[in-house]
């Protein structure tokens, strides 16, 4: 309901799009209800013919899609959560390339296997397609060299663990430099919200060297604790962009539109004659700058922009929170209903074409702190800095990396902390920004940008069809 209406049952939709300035791994997925639980896949973008990777060509490229699995119809799981106003039932398993691995009941024969040759290097294109869980990923006894994130090259970064939020991609080089044998690859949750239940299980596949006896017992990696925020922050904050590499974009220095945006969970009043199971009989909700985003129901926002339709959205999303408080201090929040119960609205920010936006994303403790993976459609952004506690402009601006910051389309805002991003609004249209935990989008942790047309046909939206039907 942002850039298009849902594809109606029995119908089809053809997407035509140009890929510019991106190489690496992205992914595609359904964006209606919880269909993303199973309708997704990798989107691999290789260098143009005649050009090469900014690293030695790997022997083989391997997609590694991490997902979630429910022993239930995921639409039913979502509907039950909506009806009761609380978090949905937990997933029953995680998967690697659709296979849960041998740690779950009846799954011993459903383990993904990657066969490798000694001395060869493999490019693993890791995608977190899970609905609601960030994940740690490791391969026993092996180091991984990060070379790209979200289809943007990075300065090579060697690590023994990858941390990846829903919506993110990480490309790593795996050198098959160990003795002949079998080594488990494993993914387990990074759950930063204290006291909140989560699927505390582990999926695993196996890396098998050629020549390994079938009787060999795979080696298991040591996995981080589920709440190992220091490990997660070290990974997220140590990545830098490949300055001067293919498709490198310098950080824009002039900022036209500054925004300070609080993000976090809250509550929604329970409708009359309804029973809700959330705190104090309310429903769980979420907001940005105390505005809880409501998706349109009759026409898409882009359609409303095309046809100049009123009543679908307003362009008064606040550039700063209407109430200032000690954002990450739970005791300062108290029981202020103004903070807990954000209004349900469809407010956007209107941007001029090619303007530069700097956004400070500040986590709040209104209903507990949590690492939120924030994603913007239609744009890459530079991650200038990230840290814990309340953002302090007097000291934290000095931490900005304006030389070689990582470029992403999804940023995990640290639990009880903040992140600063900057992007150029050079893509006309209506683009949502939302938390890539699916449940939080349904709760309202989102906003949108309306970017005006540019001066040339290449940066101008095409005219709308003569007769646009309602959704």
């Amino acid at each position: 309901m942002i850039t298009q209406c849902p594809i109606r049952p029995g119908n089809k939709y053809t997407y035509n799009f140009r890929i510019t300035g991106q190489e690496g791994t992205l992914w595609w997925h359904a964006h209606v209800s919880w269909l993303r639980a199973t309708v997704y896949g990798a989107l691999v973008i290789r260098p143009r013919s005649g050009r090469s990777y900014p690293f030695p060509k790997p022997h083989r490229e391997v997609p590694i899609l991490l997902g979630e699995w429910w022993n239930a119809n995921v639409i039913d799981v979502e509907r039950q959560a909506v009806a009761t106003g609380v978090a949905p039932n937990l997933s029953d398993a995680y998967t690697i390339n659709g296979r849960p691995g041998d740690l779950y009941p009846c799954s011993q024969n459903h383990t993904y296997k990657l066969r490798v040759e000694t001395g060869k290097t493999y490019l693993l294109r890791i995608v977190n397609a899970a609905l609601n869980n960030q994940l740690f990923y490791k391969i026993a006894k092996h180091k991984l060299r990060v070379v790209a994130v979200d289809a943007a090259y990075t300065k090579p970064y060697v690590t023994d663990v990858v941390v990846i939020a829903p919506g993110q991609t990480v490309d790593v080089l795996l050198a098959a430099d160990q003795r002949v044998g079998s080594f488990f690859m494993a993914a387990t949750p990074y759950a930063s919200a204290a006291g909140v239940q989560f699927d505390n299980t582990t999926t695993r596949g196996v890396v098998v060297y050629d020549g390994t006896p079938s009787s060999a017992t795979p080696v298991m990696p040591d996995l981080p604790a589920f709440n190992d925020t220091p490990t997660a922050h070290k990974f997220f904050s140590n990545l830098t962009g490949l300055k001067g590499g293919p498709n490198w974009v310098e950080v824009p220095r002039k900022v036209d539109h500054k925004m300070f945006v609080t993000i976090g969970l809250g509550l929604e009043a329970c409708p009359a004659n309804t029973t809700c199971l959330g705190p104090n009989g309310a429903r769980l909700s979420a907001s940005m700058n105390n505005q809880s985003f409501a998706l349109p129901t009759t026409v898409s926002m882009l359609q409303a922009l095309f046809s100049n339709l009123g009543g679908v959205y307003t362009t008064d999303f606040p550039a700063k929170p209407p109430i200032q408080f000690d954002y990450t201090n739970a005791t300062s929040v108290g029981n202020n209903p103004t903070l807990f119960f954000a209004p349900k609205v469809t407010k956007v920010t209107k941007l001029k074409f090619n303007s530069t936006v700097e956004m400070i994303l500040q986590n709040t403790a209104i209903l507990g702190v949590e690492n939120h993976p924030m994603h913007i459609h239609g744009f890459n952004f530079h991650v200038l800095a990230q840290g814990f506690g309340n953002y302090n402009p007097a000291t934290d601006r000095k931490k900005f990396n304006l030389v070689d910051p990582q470029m992403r389309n999804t940023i995990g805002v640290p639990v009880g902390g903040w992140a600063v991003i900057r992007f150029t609004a050079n893509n006309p249209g209506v683009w949502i920004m939302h938390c890539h935990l699916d449940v939080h989008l349904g709760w309202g942790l989102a906003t949108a940008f309306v970017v005006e047309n540019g001066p040339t046909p290449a940066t101008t939206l095409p005219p709308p069809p003569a007769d646009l039907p309602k959704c």
Side-chain angles (χ1 to χ4, degrees), residues 48-301:
R48 290 181 181 273
S49 178
R51 299 183 184 178
S52 60
Y53 295 120
F55 47 81
K57 184 178 180 180
H59 175 66
R60 184 180 162 204
E61 300 179 16
V62 183
I64 302 291
L65 276 75
L66 308 177
E68 281 175 290
W69 176 265
W70 279 261
N71 292 328
N73 183 324
V74 292
I75 303 302
D76 292 340
V77 174
E78 182 195 29
R79 286 172 176 166
Q80 181 182 13
V82 171
T84 57
V86 295
N89 290 338
L90 303 179
S91 55
D92 296 290
Y94 300 108
T95 59
I96 299 176
N97 287 350
R99 299 172 181 268
D102 60 345
L103 293 177
Y104 298 100
C106 306
S107 66
Q108 283 74 17
N109 296 324
H110 298 281
T111 301
Y112 171 72
K113 291 184 179 180
L114 171 61
R115 297 194 174 275
V116 300
E117 297 178 40
T118 302
K120 303 290 188 181
T121 298
Y122 298 80
L123 177 61
L124 306 186
R125 299 180 176 274
I126 307 170
V127 178
N128 187 348
L131 284 179
N132 292 316
N133 282 280
Q134 304 187 64
L135 297 167
F136 293 111
Y137 175 87
K138 293 187 72 171
I139 300 177
K141 304 294 185 181
H142 289 76
K143 296 286 188 179
L144 302 171
R145 183 180 294 266
V146 179
V147 293
V149 294
D150 296 355
Y153 291 119
T154 63
K155 182 179 178 181
Y157 175 67
V158 178
T159 178
D160 67 346
V161 59
V162 165
V163 192
I164 185 168
Q168 291 184 329
T169 70
V170 180
D171 291 355
V172 301
L173 293 175
L174 167 67
D177 56 6
Q178 297 297 306
R179 59 175 173 77
V180 170
S182 296
F183 303 86
F184 278 120
M185 64 171 69
T188 196
Y190 166 48
S192 61
V196 176
Q197 291 186 325
F198 62 97
D199 180 356
N200 192 11
T201 63
T202 299
T203 178
R204 64 185 186 184
V206 63
V207 176
V208 182
Y209 280 67
D210 283 353
T212 301
S214 59
S215 59
T217 300
V219 179
M220 182 66 181
D222 293 325
L223 294 170
F226 71 86
N227 58 353
D228 191 348
T229 289
T231 292
H233 184 67
K234 178 182 177 181
F235 179 85
F236 285 138
S237 61
N238 276 324
L239 299 174
T240 53
L242 187 62
K243 181 178 175 63
N247 304 307
W248 170 251
V249 177
E250 294 288 347
V251 181
R253 298 305 179 98
K254 179 179 178 291
V255 177
D256 303 299
H257 196 83
K258 292 187 176 182
M259 303 181 72
F260 185 97
V261 179
T262 55
I263 58 174
L265 304 184
L267 298 173
E268 177 187 357
C270 192
N273 302 317
T274 304
T275 300
C276 297
L277 303 180
N280 300 319
R283 303 173 60 88
L284 292 174
S285 184
S287 66
M288 299 177 68
N289 273 356
N290 206 41
Q291 314 293 307
S292 188
F293 191 77
L295 290 166
T297 57
T298 57
V299 297
S300 72
M301 296 175 71

Side-chain angles (χ1 to χ4, degrees), residues 6-13 35:
I7 304 169
R8 296 186 178 187
N11 290 301
K12 60 184 179 180
Y13 193 101
L35 295 180

Side-chain angles (χ1 to χ4, degrees), residues 352-416:
K352 291 190 177 299
F353 177 78
N354 243 10
S355 60
T356 299
V357 180
E358 180 180 288
M359 180 180 290
I360 300 162
L361 295 164
Q362 175 68 62
N363 193 200
T364 65
I366 294 173
L367 207 65
V369 292
E370 182 180 11
N371 185 300
H372 292 286
M374 299 302 298
H375 169 60
I376 303 181
H377 289 206
F379 303 97
N380 280 357
F381 50 75
H382 291 97
V383 180
L384 302 187
Q386 49 194 305
F388 296 98
N390 293 332
Y391 174 80
N392 184 341
T395 57
D396 292 332
R397 290 196 74 85
K398 299 175 183 178
K399 303 173 185 176
F400 283 14
N401 179 356
L402 300 175
V403 178
D404 61 351
Q406 58 182 293
M407 290 192 295
R408 307 209 72 140
N409 60 47
T410 304
I411 171 69
V413 179
V415 52

